PDB file of all heavy atoms in Angstrom:
ATOM      1  N   GLU A 163       1.036  14.282  -1.126  1.00 97.00           N
ATOM      2  CA  GLU A 163       1.153  13.900   0.288  1.00 97.00           C
ATOM      3  C   GLU A 163       0.017  12.987   0.739  1.00 97.00           C
ATOM      4  O   GLU A 163      -1.147  13.214   0.407  1.00 97.00           O
ATOM      5  CB  GLU A 163       1.166  15.142   1.180  1.00 97.00           C
ATOM      6  CG  GLU A 163       2.502  15.848   1.230  1.00 97.00           C
ATOM      7  CD  GLU A 163       2.509  16.934   2.303  1.00 97.00           C
ATOM      8  OE1 GLU A 163       2.081  16.649   3.447  1.00 97.00           O
ATOM      9  OE2 GLU A 163       2.934  18.056   1.993  1.00 97.00           O
ATOM     10  N   PHE A 164       0.384  11.988   1.514  1.00 97.00           N
ATOM     11  CA  PHE A 164      -0.620  11.124   2.137  1.00 97.00           C
ATOM     12  C   PHE A 164      -1.231  11.835   3.341  1.00 97.00           C
ATOM     13  O   PHE A 164      -0.565  12.610   4.033  1.00 97.00           O
ATOM     14  CB  PHE A 164       0.004   9.809   2.600  1.00 97.00           C
ATOM     15  CG  PHE A 164       0.294   8.848   1.488  1.00 97.00           C
ATOM     16  CD1 PHE A 164       1.576   8.731   0.970  1.00 97.00           C
ATOM     17  CD2 PHE A 164      -0.715   8.060   0.953  1.00 97.00           C
ATOM     18  CE1 PHE A 164       1.849   7.849  -0.057  1.00 97.00           C
ATOM     19  CE2 PHE A 164      -0.454   7.173  -0.076  1.00 97.00           C
ATOM     20  CZ  PHE A 164       0.830   7.058  -0.587  1.00 97.00           C
ATOM     21  N   ASN A 165      -2.489  11.525   3.584  1.00 96.00           N
ATOM     22  CA  ASN A 165      -3.187  12.036   4.762  1.00 96.00           C
ATOM     23  C   ASN A 165      -3.918  10.858   5.398  1.00 96.00           C
ATOM     24  O   ASN A 165      -4.911  10.368   4.871  1.00 96.00           O
ATOM     25  CB  ASN A 165      -4.175  13.129   4.358  1.00 96.00           C
ATOM     26  CG  ASN A 165      -4.860  13.754   5.567  1.00 96.00           C
ATOM     27  OD1 ASN A 165      -4.706  13.281   6.703  1.00 96.00           O
ATOM     28  ND2 ASN A 165      -5.620  14.804   5.345  1.00 96.00           N
ATOM     29  N   PHE A 166      -3.412  10.408   6.540  1.00 96.00           N
ATOM     30  CA  PHE A 166      -3.965   9.227   7.200  1.00 96.00           C
ATOM     31  C   PHE A 166      -4.951   9.582   8.314  1.00 96.00           C
ATOM     32  O   PHE A 166      -5.204   8.769   9.198  1.00 96.00           O
ATOM     33  CB  PHE A 166      -2.834   8.367   7.751  1.00 96.00           C
ATOM     34  CG  PHE A 166      -1.891   7.841   6.705  1.00 96.00           C
ATOM     35  CD1 PHE A 166      -0.516   7.901   6.892  1.00 96.00           C
ATOM     36  CD2 PHE A 166      -2.371   7.305   5.525  1.00 96.00           C
ATOM     37  CE1 PHE A 166       0.360   7.409   5.935  1.00 96.00           C
ATOM     38  CE2 PHE A 166      -1.511   6.815   4.556  1.00 96.00           C
ATOM     39  CZ  PHE A 166      -0.138   6.866   4.760  1.00 96.00           C
ATOM     40  N   ASP A 167      -5.514  10.791   8.270  1.00 92.00           N
ATOM     41  CA  ASP A 167      -6.524  11.172   9.262  1.00 92.00           C
ATOM     42  C   ASP A 167      -7.795  10.351   9.065  1.00 92.00           C
ATOM     43  O   ASP A 167      -8.186  10.046   7.935  1.00 92.00           O
ATOM     44  CB  ASP A 167      -6.895  12.655   9.117  1.00 92.00           C
ATOM     45  CG  ASP A 167      -5.751  13.574   9.508  1.00 92.00           C
ATOM     46  OD1 ASP A 167      -4.747  13.068  10.024  1.00 92.00           O
ATOM     47  OD2 ASP A 167      -5.865  14.787   9.283  1.00 92.00           O
ATOM     48  N   ASN A 168      -8.413  10.030  10.159  1.00 89.00           N
ATOM     49  CA  ASN A 168      -9.773   9.458  10.136  1.00 89.00           C
ATOM     50  C   ASN A 168      -9.898   8.163   9.335  1.00 89.00           C
ATOM     51  O   ASN A 168     -10.864   7.965   8.587  1.00 89.00           O
ATOM     52  CB  ASN A 168     -10.773  10.489   9.589  1.00 89.00           C
ATOM     53  CG  ASN A 168     -10.723  11.796  10.361  1.00 89.00           C
ATOM     54  OD1 ASN A 168     -10.666  11.785  11.586  1.00 89.00           O
ATOM     55  ND2 ASN A 168     -10.729  12.905   9.647  1.00 89.00           N
ATOM     56  N   ILE A 169      -8.923   7.283   9.474  1.00 95.00           N
ATOM     57  CA  ILE A 169      -9.051   5.967   8.852  1.00 95.00           C
ATOM     58  C   ILE A 169     -10.121   5.176   9.598  1.00 95.00           C
ATOM     59  O   ILE A 169     -10.109   5.097  10.832  1.00 95.00           O
ATOM     60  CB  ILE A 169      -7.702   5.225   8.863  1.00 95.00           C
ATOM     61  CG1 ILE A 169      -6.770   5.867   7.828  1.00 95.00           C
ATOM     62  CG2 ILE A 169      -7.878   3.743   8.570  1.00 95.00           C
ATOM     63  CD1 ILE A 169      -5.415   5.230   7.745  1.00 95.00           C
ATOM     64  N   ILE A 170     -11.039   4.606   8.856  1.00 96.00           N
ATOM     65  CA  ILE A 170     -12.190   3.916   9.434  1.00 96.00           C
ATOM     66  C   ILE A 170     -12.011   2.406   9.287  1.00 96.00           C
ATOM     67  O   ILE A 170     -11.523   1.930   8.257  1.00 96.00           O
ATOM     68  CB  ILE A 170     -13.489   4.367   8.732  1.00 96.00           C
ATOM     69  CG1 ILE A 170     -13.652   5.880   8.854  1.00 96.00           C
ATOM     70  CG2 ILE A 170     -14.705   3.650   9.314  1.00 96.00           C
ATOM     71  CD1 ILE A 170     -14.767   6.443   7.999  1.00 96.00           C
ATOM     72  N   ASP A 171     -12.403   1.668  10.321  1.00 97.00           N
ATOM     73  CA  ASP A 171     -12.367   0.208  10.262  1.00 97.00           C
ATOM     74  C   ASP A 171     -13.184  -0.292   9.069  1.00 97.00           C
ATOM     75  O   ASP A 171     -14.222   0.286   8.708  1.00 97.00           O
ATOM     76  CB  ASP A 171     -12.929  -0.403  11.548  1.00 97.00           C
ATOM     77  CG  ASP A 171     -12.017  -0.192  12.743  1.00 97.00           C
ATOM     78  OD1 ASP A 171     -10.870   0.241  12.545  1.00 97.00           O
ATOM     79  OD2 ASP A 171     -12.467  -0.436  13.879  1.00 97.00           O
ATOM     80  N   ASN A 172     -12.709  -1.390   8.490  1.00 97.00           N
ATOM     81  CA  ASN A 172     -13.392  -2.040   7.371  1.00 97.00           C
ATOM     82  C   ASN A 172     -13.474  -1.160   6.115  1.00 97.00           C
ATOM     83  O   ASN A 172     -14.317  -1.355   5.253  1.00 97.00           O
ATOM     84  CB  ASN A 172     -14.803  -2.496   7.758  1.00 97.00           C
ATOM     85  CG  ASN A 172     -15.225  -3.729   6.979  1.00 97.00           C
ATOM     86  OD1 ASN A 172     -14.480  -4.693   6.889  1.00 97.00           O
ATOM     87  ND2 ASN A 172     -16.402  -3.694   6.398  1.00 97.00           N
ATOM     88  N   ASN A 173     -12.568  -0.168   6.035  1.00 98.00           N
ATOM     89  CA  ASN A 173     -12.449   0.687   4.860  1.00 98.00           C
ATOM     90  C   ASN A 173     -11.019   0.611   4.331  1.00 98.00           C
ATOM     91  O   ASN A 173     -10.065   0.574   5.117  1.00 98.00           O
ATOM     92  CB  ASN A 173     -12.765   2.144   5.206  1.00 98.00           C
ATOM     93  CG  ASN A 173     -14.244   2.432   5.298  1.00 98.00           C
ATOM     94  OD1 ASN A 173     -14.796   3.185   4.514  1.00 98.00           O
ATOM     95  ND2 ASN A 173     -14.908   1.826   6.275  1.00 98.00           N
ATOM     96  N   ILE A 174     -10.904   0.616   3.002  1.00 98.00           N
ATOM     97  CA  ILE A 174      -9.598   0.681   2.375  1.00 98.00           C
ATOM     98  C   ILE A 174      -9.570   1.915   1.485  1.00 98.00           C
ATOM     99  O   ILE A 174     -10.614   2.350   0.963  1.00 98.00           O
ATOM    100  CB  ILE A 174      -9.288  -0.603   1.563  1.00 98.00           C
ATOM    101  CG1 ILE A 174      -7.801  -0.680   1.218  1.00 98.00           C
ATOM    102  CG2 ILE A 174     -10.159  -0.717   0.313  1.00 98.00           C
ATOM    103  CD1 ILE A 174      -7.369  -2.040   0.702  1.00 98.00           C
ATOM    104  N   TYR A 175      -8.390   2.494   1.317  1.00 98.00           N
ATOM    105  CA  TYR A 175      -8.248   3.755   0.604  1.00 98.00           C
ATOM    106  C   TYR A 175      -7.289   3.557  -0.575  1.00 98.00           C
ATOM    107  O   TYR A 175      -6.143   3.133  -0.384  1.00 98.00           O
ATOM    108  CB  TYR A 175      -7.733   4.839   1.565  1.00 98.00           C
ATOM    109  CG  TYR A 175      -8.645   5.015   2.758  1.00 98.00           C
ATOM    110  CD1 TYR A 175      -8.544   4.154   3.865  1.00 98.00           C
ATOM    111  CD2 TYR A 175      -9.633   5.986   2.763  1.00 98.00           C
ATOM    112  CE1 TYR A 175      -9.405   4.283   4.944  1.00 98.00           C
ATOM    113  CE2 TYR A 175     -10.497   6.125   3.854  1.00 98.00           C
ATOM    114  CZ  TYR A 175     -10.376   5.269   4.938  1.00 98.00           C
ATOM    115  OH  TYR A 175     -11.232   5.397   6.006  1.00 98.00           O
ATOM    116  N   VAL A 176      -7.777   3.859  -1.771  1.00 98.00           N
ATOM    117  CA  VAL A 176      -6.985   3.681  -2.989  1.00 98.00           C
ATOM    118  C   VAL A 176      -7.116   4.942  -3.845  1.00 98.00           C
ATOM    119  O   VAL A 176      -8.122   5.660  -3.758  1.00 98.00           O
ATOM    120  CB  VAL A 176      -7.433   2.436  -3.798  1.00 98.00           C
ATOM    121  CG1 VAL A 176      -7.272   1.170  -2.984  1.00 98.00           C
ATOM    122  CG2 VAL A 176      -8.867   2.590  -4.282  1.00 98.00           C
TER     123      VAL A 176
END
Side-chain angles (χ1 to χ4, degrees):
E163 281 189 48
F164 285 99
N165 184 352
F166 298 134
D167 292 352
N168 305 316
I169 287 180
I170 302 170
D171 290 349
N172 210 48
N173 281 245
I174 195 167
Y175 303 82
V176 299

